[in-house]
Amino acid sequence: MAHSPEQDSTDFIREIIANDLNEGVHETTVTRFPPEPNGYLHIGHAFSICLNFGLAEENKSTGGRCHLRFDDTNPSKEDIEYVESIKSDVQWLGFDWNEHLYFASNYFSFFYDCARHLISEGKAYVDLQDSETIRAQKGSITEPGVDSPYRNTSAEENLALFEKMKQGDFEEGKAVLRAKIDMTADNLNLRDPLIYRVMHSEHHQAGSEWCIYPLYDFAHPLEDAKEGITHSLCSLEFEIRRPLYNWVVENCPVASTPKQYEFARLNLNYTVLSKRKLKELVDDSLVNGWDDPRLMTLSGMRRRGYTPSAVKNYCKNIGVTKFVSLRDMAVLDFELRQDLNKTVDRKMAVLDPLKVVITNLPADHFEELQCVDNPEDENSSTRSVPLTQEIYIERDDFMETPPNKKYKRLAPGKYVRLRGGYIIGYQSHETDTEGNITQINVEYIPDTIGQNPPEGIKCKAAIHWVSATHHVEAEIRLYDRLFNEPEPDKVEGGYRACINPESLKVIKNAKLEYSLKDAPPAYACQFERIGYFISDNQDHTNDTPVFNRTIGLKDSWGK
Ligand code: ATP
Ligand code: MG
């Protein structure tokens, strides 16, 4: 039985690769991740990155490798900003292309030579008709196509016309190069597809050297062949174009024979994953840039506090298939909580503060309580948390009239434990002229740190708290899903009609425990009883702390 070397589970792609190695079709496995630098990468791209770079890692023993290749053959939509962001996203996921960084724009002469080769062989021709006419002649699934009047121009004439295209003698849309395949083919992609067009655009890598650019279906197989890619993995939409991919490889002077394999792309609910739509959200200021923590772009997810291992585990666990499905965001969130639960420290933070005065402590009381950083870790370190006479607790951890006997937090006649500290008991509370509670007075019970309450006192819960005099004031950004509907694209009026108005709530003066006073940017922790948070990687400083909510402790959407 074929099996891939260093991966426990298998899938149809890994089986193909293992077979190719076993049967000597290839000596090693070379894959590529080929983004077009026309936007930021999203979670769908992460799936493709994990697959391609993952295969290279699993096949390291035979020299397996994965190329990062910028498929930058369309200068009109591409930008160097995107090149840089894509590189850092791949690195963030923990993958390394080593010396295998390529730009399709470096192959422009090669594409050009291949095109000339096709022309010389009578397998390509320049068509001077307008695009509408060419489209009309293409026919349909029920009707064969009609030959272009340029289809039988001689190779010499075509070479001359192609040269003129290259020299800039044609305006955009006035001349195209077409592969001469079969105008009656059942597969419309084979009805003399366009392979080169005129574009008078400056290229972000190649400058103004070229004014003709190859189309994807022509360039991509050539890029793969040039780099010696063995398995060219793409999403299912490209299945119908595979015959054209093979035609290009067979008919151009290339040294290797890459093969294309298709898998089902990752679709996720409650989000949009198309670069075009993500760009609209950014350009129309519906979000704050490509790295807005509500976007499922990798830079947004990083800023939000997703971890590379959660993303990688998620991609691995859903596996590679040929079946298109809509994946549940809750599964990704589950991976994230699992990872953060194990790895990040606990801190206390009060988001909606209510003052509590411990009346039997002196005004200048200062005591350093020791709190465990991560209870999930047997060997966890501890930190000291200052206890002072005045503290803050969460407003909703006190109720003047609890709804029922099950209520365990602070209320008249009740006791509660301060996390990591003493048990306190209610004495009285104060209100302002409108009846809002402004302060609770309590007494603490000595010798109750880490101890059961004395006889006669019931204490069923521990609440988080922060010193009112020794803490950090912070801005908290409470992020939630950007869309209210699982399939934003299918909503009447489009995804704009279901943007979640609650997807960002900002709290200005939250109180964080003192140990966060020198937290660096992108510092992740759990605010006990609230959720996982991370200091913002753009706006956070120790003078102006800003923390983003990564995710709550429990799924609140799975109803
Ligand atoms: P989008 O449709 O979001 O604009 P794209 O496919 O146009 O993305 P490319 O830059 O061409 O973006 O993609 C680079 C690689 O990432 C391709 O091999 C593509 O198949 C893969 N990819 C893109 N989106 C997904 C997805 N949702 N699931 C899996 N792979 C994807
Ligand atoms: Mg694309």
Side-chain angles (χ1 to χ4, degrees), residues 16-17 20-21 25-32 55 59 64-65 67 69 223-225 227-233 245 256-261:
I16 291 168
I17 286 178
D20 285 351
L21 290 173
V25 179
H26 299 292
E27 278 165 14
T28 186
T29 306
V30 186
T31 54
R32 86 286 174 265
L55 287 170
N59 291 280
R65 59 179 200 267
H67 296 185
R69 180 206 306 146
E223 295 158 21
D224 287 342
E227 294 174 13
I229 302 299
T230 55
H231 300 80
S232 178
L233 311 177
Y245 181 100
S256 81
T257 311
K259 287 252 160 26
Q260 174 183 303
Y261 300 92

Side-chain angles (χ1 to χ4, degrees), residues 32-38 41-45 47-49 52 71 86 216 220 233-235 237-238 263-267 273-276 278:
R32 86 286 174 265
F33 173 64
E36 183 178 359
N38 61 352
L41 299 183
H42 52 64
I43 180 80
H45 294 113
F47 184 78
S48 176
I49 293 170
N52 283 294
D71 203 350
I86 289 169
Y216 177 89
H220 205 83
L233 311 177
C234 60
S235 36
E237 313 88 82
F238 291 92
F263 62 88
R265 65 196 288 125
L266 169 63
N267 300 314
L273 286 189
S274 127
K275 279 188 280 189
R276 183 177 59 78
L278 291 168

Side-chain angles (χ1 to χ4, degrees), residues 172-227:
E172 290 185 16
K174 297 290 182 204
V176 290
L177 185 69
R178 298 177 68 181
K180 186 170 169 181
I181 308 180
D182 181 359
M183 288 305 290
T184 64
D186 286 339
N187 186 333
L188 269 71
N189 290 287
L190 294 178
R191 294 186 188 173
D192 293 9
L194 309 198
I195 57 176
Y196 252 102
R197 62 184 158 178
V198 173
M199 260 176 124
H200 293 282
S201 286
E202 184 92 353
H203 191 280
H204 54 103
Q205 304 285 328
S208 53
E209 192 185 341
W210 296 88
C211 64
I212 51 171
Y213 291 95
L215 279 103
Y216 177 89
D217 286 325
F218 180 59
H220 205 83
L222 292 177
E223 295 158 21
D224 287 342
K226 178 148 181 89
E227 294 174 13

Side-chain angles (χ1 to χ4, degrees), residues 13 147 149 181 195 211 213 241 244 260 268 378 413 461 472 528:
I13 287 179
D147 283 4
I181 308 180
I195 57 176
C211 64
Y213 291 95
R241 291 149 83 166
L244 178 53
Q260 174 183 303
L268 205 55
E378 277 172 29
V472 176
E528 293 203 62

Side-chain angles (χ1 to χ4, degrees), residues 502-520:
E502 313 261 279
S503 62
L504 170 58
K505 278 189 269 180
V506 178
I507 294 177
K508 280 296 180 191
N509 292 308
K511 321 288 181 191
L512 313 186
E513 81 170 49
Y514 195 60
S515 69
L516 286 166
K517 69 180 186 322
D518 30 47

